[in-house]
Amino acid sequence: MQGFTDIEAQGWVARLPQGWRPYALLARFDRPIGSWLLFLPGLWAFALAAPGWAEGLRLALLFGIGAVAMRGAGCVVNDLWDRDIDRRVERTRGRPLAAGTVTPFQALVFLAVLCCIGLAVLLQLNGTAILLGVCSLLPILLYPLAKRVTNWPQAMLGLTFSWAAPEGIAAATGRVDAVALILWAAAFCWILGYDTIYAHQDREDDAMVGIGSTALRWGERTRPFLAACYAAMLVLLALAGWVGGLGWLYLPALLLPAALLARQVARLDIHDPALCLRLFKANREAGLAVALAFLIGRL
């Protein structure tokens, strides 16, 4: 793997048995940030609406396992769709399907295993959450197609990764209410912003191979677009706390994630792929700070 890549093949993955390594890389187990970002909207839901600490921790554990499995499944689906494109993009040409270290049939078998793990987790939830979990399969399957037909594939990813917010509310309360929808919208705006940062790593290669992204759509105007996404997210989070009946401490607690997000906007340099990756990864801490704000608001 030459040139810029975010594959971390020399980390803990290198200590796995040799036959396991390509599958770990295929599911992005070497880069857990994606699992974190899939999990965090669910954590927000539990911090806001879980009926008690024990149930909140149980649901967080289940969603954590499910996030790892389903993020891995999503990566397999994405790479099956994109293996020909990935060979032409500097950052992705070392992915197992693009590099030929995993065959499409082997990837499909691995996908089935990951989906079985996800199903086992889903069956531990109530009926409303199970229904939402089944419905989430559609945007997972459609996301890789979006980049071929629109400049807004990040919006499809936003629908996919934010699904844990309403599903988490449903798992905690047994219903999908106004809080669930507001939290979903907040997570969508957050994801639309941070995935635009991520897409700037591949902006030139994407233009060359003819696929779309919000990075290409906004280009040098990405900073105000990012600021608007994050501002909308924070307004919606404040509204979710108000509708959810949180105490007055919630709004001051939101200043921490607001500062972390503002730092990303201020530091953004779309011409520095390594910086874009660091700013993207910084959303784990921003998302955890949101969950903390919800917990503080319940004191």
Side-chain angles (χ1 to χ4, degrees), residues 112-153:
V113 172
L114 292 171
C115 288
C116 286
I117 295 171
L119 178 61
V121 170
L122 190 63
L123 293 177
Q124 308 306 308
L125 307 178
N126 60 47
T128 304
I130 289 174
L131 178 60
L132 284 176
V134 172
C135 291
S136 72
L137 294 176
L138 181 60
I140 290 173
L141 292 172
L142 290 180
Y143 166 67
L145 178 63
K147 69 184 74 173
R148 292 165 168 82
V149 297
T150 177
N151 281 331
W152 293 85

Side-chain angles (χ1 to χ4, degrees), residues 84-214:
D84 293 330
I85 292 175
D86 285 345
R87 295 186 185 105
R88 302 162 62 191
V89 176
E90 179 182 9
R91 184 177 61 86
T92 60
R93 64 170 57 104
R95 288 179 175 174
L97 278 163
T101 55
V102 172
T103 68
F105 176 75
Q106 290 170 328
L108 287 170
V109 173
F110 184 47
L111 175 62
V113 172
L114 292 171
C115 288
C116 286
I117 295 171
L119 178 61
V121 170
L122 190 63
L123 293 177
Q124 308 306 308
L125 307 178
N126 60 47
T128 304
I130 289 174
L131 178 60
L132 284 176
V134 172
C135 291
S136 72
L137 294 176
L138 181 60
I140 290 173
L141 292 172
L142 290 180
Y143 166 67
L145 178 63
K147 69 184 74 173
R148 292 165 168 82
V149 297
T150 177
N151 281 331
W152 293 85
Q154 283 67 35
M156 181 61 73
L157 185 76
L159 291 175
T160 304
F161 267 51
S162 62
W163 208 279
E167 188 174 357
I169 294 291
T173 67
R175 63 184 184 275
V176 178
D177 54 14
V179 171
L181 297 178
I182 296 168
L183 204 62
W184 189 13
F188 173 84
C189 292
W190 180 45
I191 295 158
L192 186 59
Y194 73 57
D195 201 51
T196 298
I197 298 176
Y198 188 81
H200 272 292
Q201 298 175 94
D202 302 328
R203 184 181 65 253
E204 295 178 0
D205 286 330
D206 287 349
M208 180 183 67
V209 300
I211 59 177
S213 74
T214 47

Side-chain angles (χ1 to χ4, degrees), residues 207-233:
M208 180 183 67
V209 300
I211 59 177
S213 74
T214 47
L216 287 169
R217 169 65 178 80
W218 292 98
E220 297 291 343
R221 297 174 295 163
T222 293
R223 180 174 282 110
F225 173 71
L226 181 64
C229 288
Y230 286 169
M233 168 202 176

